[in-house]
Amino acid sequence: MDKASVLADAIKYIKELQEKVNQLEGAVNASKTEQSFVISGDDPADGDGKASPPLSQIEARISDKDVLIRICSEKANVHVTGLLGEIERSGLSIVHSNVVPFGSSTQYIAIIARVRYRMPPSL
């Protein structure tokens, strides 16, 4: 075998390895995407058939093992300690929480948590 063919084979092999690295990096980056969802709870329609504004809105953003939960509630009687307890029981460790009252009947709640363990997928 001459030097040129050995060099050509080495270059071909390096290109194959680079393709595999790019594919693996793409798979890793795709798995680290951030997911987000919003849930709104509405009051039943009032007597004239018009729906009233949402009572609460919950937004959750998930990025790898970190979770951001934001709640805007028009009811000032949200029991934050019970809420935090439920979050802990669901497999999350609370890193930070913040509750801000606004006006006489609105609360803004922000919670940052980290996944302790993966919950089995619901069937």
Side-chain angles (χ1 to χ4, degrees):
M1 239 184 183
D2 64 343
K3 292 179 184 180
S5 63
V6 172
L7 187 56
D9 288 343
I11 291 172
K12 181 180 175 184
Y13 183 67
I14 289 172
K15 287 183 180 181
E16 289 174 8
L17 290 176
Q18 284 176 334
E19 280 183 40
K20 287 181 183 181
V21 167
N22 290 339
Q23 289 173 349
L24 290 173
E25 286 176 345
V28 168
N29 290 338
S31 69
K32 288 188 177 183
T33 59
E34 188 174 283
Q35 299 174 359
S36 179
F37 60 91
V38 177
I39 300 171
S40 292
D42 297 329
D43 256 354
D46 56 17
D48 58 359
K50 295 180 183 175
S52 57
L55 284 178
S56 59
Q57 184 175 21
I58 302 170
E59 177 185 357
R61 299 179 81 183
I62 303 167
S63 178
D64 199 25
K65 289 189 173 193
D66 296 322
V67 180
L68 169 65
I69 302 168
R70 290 191 296 184
I71 302 168
C72 174
S73 176
E74 296 297 325
K75 295 180 179 179
N77 61 352
V78 174
H79 298 283
V80 178
T81 54
L83 176 67
L84 296 177
E86 285 297 319
I87 291 171
E88 287 278 339
R89 281 188 287 282
S90 70
L92 298 172
S93 293
I94 296 172
V95 176
H96 178 77
S97 65
N98 189 10
V99 179
V100 179
F102 184 74
S104 62
S105 65
T106 303
Q107 280 185 332
Y108 292 96
I109 303 167
I111 301 164
I112 298 173
R114 179 155 291 143
V115 176
R116 283 194 308 250
Y117 53 86
R118 295 274 182 206
M119 298 296 291
S122 58
L123 300 174

